[in-house]
Amino acid sequence: MAGYSFNKFFEYFVRNNVIDADTAKKVQVDILKSDIPAEEYLIKKKLITGEELYGAKAYAMGVEYINLLNIAASPQALAFVPEVIAREYNVFPFEYDSKNNLLKVAMEDPLNLDTISFLEKKTGKKIMPYLESRENIEEVIRIQYQQSISPTVTTALEEYTEQQKEFEPQSVKGKVVKEPPIARLVNTILEYAVKGRASDVHIEPQEFRTRVRYRIDGVLYEKLSLPKSLHDSFISRIKILSQMRIDERRLPQDGRFTFKIGDQEIDLRVSSLPTVHGEKIVMRLLKKTGGIPTLPDLGLMGTTLKNLEIAIAKPYGIVLITGPTGSGKTTTLYSMLSRLNKPSVNIMTLEDPVEYELPGINQVQINTQAGLTFASGLRSFLRQDPNIILVGEIRDKETTTLAVQAALTGHLVFSTLHTNNASTAIPRLLDLGAEPFLIASILAATVGQRILRQVCSHCRVQYQPTPEVDQNIRSVLGELLPQKFKDQPLTVYKGKGCDECGGSGYFGRVGIFEVILSDQDIGHLILKSATAETIEAQAKHNGMITMIQDGFLKVLSGITSVEEVLRVAQE
């Protein structure tokens, strides 16, 4: 227990209800009797977690503990300590307080006065040491110093600071937003988003800083922390690009602009929202280049793909895609339209907003202020001689009625519904005022879907799941279980984490699906206004593969992990 108090170390566990007082006393006696170090004893007996161990050590040392894996380092802080010094002394600068000239540094030994003194002389800053494990410090040094975003951002921040000194405060608002540093900062953040495969960029004002988060493979990662002083200029630059009003900060606004990096052209949908600490911006990245993925590319396969192909080959009827926000419904719709898009077919879409521009397809953007709604647009569409109609979402009785009428008059209609699975779409249509006998006659198929992360192919490893998980997969799949696993243990996959996937173990996303093909049996149940459970049971009897079954089949194929399927599809 060199370097910190044995009693304070255990006091932390008792105060934080990790170990009760009686157990703590007994453990201390056992440790004193044995030759095993306290840290090793507690971990071996599984009395504490690694994070609790470091929390206790920091408390006993009189410093704070920081989990570097849960934060984004400030590019300013990184600039003060070169990578070679960080590696040599195993320290990591993660935050800089310019007001107090204070640099916060994670260290394996925060009581090492020689290292602290050296860093203070080297940086000219006051050092505040934090405790962190050697492994985590080494990991973030490897990742953070390699990220190209930090040096570029640091340079832009330095230039921005110099320019602030040159301008009077009242002229900053009018001039700085047009200057190269802010423009370069925005470009750098967007380039990093494209290179990092982000679907969204969140720029969020906090009380003392602005944080930048990227949604990669459906999960948000904090990658950057910026000084609060440049927030307004930063937001103004994005609003100018998006053709928003920069003088309007009290109301939400929407805009869009195009960003080009190399051969890639990215369309950005931008949304601003006033919060208590300033305006928050979210940018959705939509690739203009690269084309629309095919249905197999999305993850549709086997019986599920065959049933959907049967449904979209019909000359008329309704195909509904269901799932929560962000489950990939729009991409699936575009994939189906892309498959059906021929010069001999008139395809029209009514969307809010138009996410991808499809050549040869007539796409219409909803404009409620001008009176162009899903219902009014759909009414006009029927006079435009369409073969196929896409309605972005069925959300009210009028749109439902018009969509049903369009299908009855010989059109193939695609749309989305916000329901949990394929079977609940049918009762939802009844709730929206559609007649059971009409739904039974024109419903082609309902599709339920979710989107989950794929295991990184660069660091994928195979392992055997626990007996409980093995049994769960077998019971869910039943007769669908691949023949090779009938008489041997299951093998599943996970990613160890590598540079390609940024240490997450996942790279890219794939969909899991269930398709209820409307046949005579399903039609009879719709006429009886049957429950979703009854419809699903009949669909399973007819051979439908459920989303969780589809997920587990992809697990056994090495496409995704058990954890992802349980996170996304477990009901």
Side-chain angles (χ1 to χ4, degrees), residues 325-379:
T325 303
S327 59
K329 298 188 296 295
T330 304
T331 305
T332 304
L333 285 173
Y334 282 156
S335 295
M336 292 191 293
L337 290 186
S338 190
R339 190 179 184 113
L340 299 170
N341 189 14
K342 290 179 275 187
S344 58
V345 176
N346 180 19
I347 301 177
M348 305 192 70
T349 78
L350 195 58
E351 304 170 64
D352 184 22
V354 174
E355 291 197 12
Y356 299 95
E357 292 180 15
L358 300 172
I361 292 176
N362 306 288
Q363 294 174 270
V364 178
Q365 166 83 47
I366 290 294
N367 187 343
T368 49
Q369 290 181 332
L372 178 55
T373 63
F374 282 122
S376 65
L378 189 50
R379 200 176 281 110

Side-chain angles (χ1 to χ4, degrees), residues 182 227 293:
I182 291 294

Side-chain angles (χ1 to χ4, degrees), residues 135-178:
E135 295 75 24
N136 283 0
I137 292 173
E138 288 174 349
E139 178 71 6
V140 292
I141 287 173
R142 183 181 65 82
I143 294 171
Q144 295 279 1
Y145 277 100
Q146 283 179 1
Q147 288 180 351
S148 59
I149 194 168
S150 294
T152 315
V153 168
T154 304
T155 307
L157 289 178
E158 286 170 354
E159 289 181 28
Y160 174 80
T161 306
E162 287 302 312
Q163 286 189 351
Q164 273 193 314
K165 292 174 183 175
E166 294 173 17
F167 292 109
E168 291 298 317
Q170 61 266 28
S171 66
V172 169
K173 191 182 292 183
K175 293 183 180 180
V176 170
V177 292
K178 299 176 185 175

Side-chain angles (χ1 to χ4, degrees), residues 164-310:
Q164 273 193 314
K165 292 174 183 175
E166 294 173 17
F167 292 109
E168 291 298 317
Q170 61 266 28
S171 66
V172 169
K173 191 182 292 183
K175 293 183 180 180
V176 170
V177 292
K178 299 176 185 175
E179 296 296 326
I182 291 294
R184 192 157 64 253
L185 188 60
V186 172
N187 286 347
T188 302
I189 283 168
L190 292 178
E191 283 175 18
Y192 186 82
V194 175
K195 289 174 183 174
R197 304 175 295 105
S199 60
D200 302 83
V201 180
H202 292 236
I203 297 155
E204 302 169 316
Q206 311 282 288
E207 189 175 0
F208 301 112
R209 66 183 180 120
T210 293
R211 73 174 178 180
V212 181
R213 294 196 290 173
Y214 294 87
R215 189 175 292 281
I216 301 169
D217 294 336
V219 178
L220 276 172
Y221 296 93
E222 186 176 338
K223 294 288 185 182
L224 196 59
S225 180
L226 300 171
K228 187 69 182 288
S229 58
L230 63 72
H231 182 80
D232 288 344
S233 299
F234 191 42
I235 296 298
S236 294
R237 171 67 184 170
I238 295 169
K239 288 170 88 171
I240 288 167
L241 290 170
S242 311
Q243 297 184 333
M244 296 182 190
R245 287 180 55 188
I246 60 172
D247 59 336
E248 178 56 80
R249 300 182 179 185
R250 300 165 302 167
L251 296 173
Q253 295 185 70
D254 293 302
R256 65 193 307 161
F257 68 95
T258 300
F259 177 75
K260 196 165 184 180
I261 172 172
D263 297 332
Q264 292 190 74
E265 200 172 2
I266 311 295
D267 197 22
L268 287 109
R269 264 186 20 224
V270 185
S271 170
S272 75
L273 183 74
T275 72
V276 291
H277 295 303
E279 283 185 283
K280 175 183 173 178
I281 291 274
V282 174
M283 295 184 281
R284 167 69 57 88
L285 282 74
L286 303 164
K287 285 187 182 179
K288 282 190 170 183
T289 49
I292 302 298
T294 64
L295 293 173
D297 287 343
L298 296 178
L300 282 150
M301 55 189 193
T303 307
T304 306
L305 176 60
K306 183 183 172 185
N307 285 344
L308 187 57
E309 286 175 332
I310 290 169

Side-chain angles (χ1 to χ4, degrees), residues 515-566:
V515 176
I516 296 180
L517 193 62
S518 190
D519 56 15
Q520 194 172 11
D521 295 327
I522 299 295
H524 284 314
L525 292 175
I526 294 171
L527 287 171
K528 296 176 184 176
S529 298
T531 63
E533 290 77 14
T534 306
I535 292 168
E536 183 171 314
Q538 182 62 54
K540 284 181 184 175
H541 179 72
N542 292 354
M544 179 188 81
I545 297 172
T546 65
M547 277 187 283
I548 193 163
Q549 287 175 330
D550 190 26
F552 281 146
L553 288 171
K554 287 181 168 74
V555 165
L556 297 178
S557 302
I559 296 170
T560 189
S561 68
V562 174
E563 292 77 14
E564 273 297 285
V565 174
L566 296 177

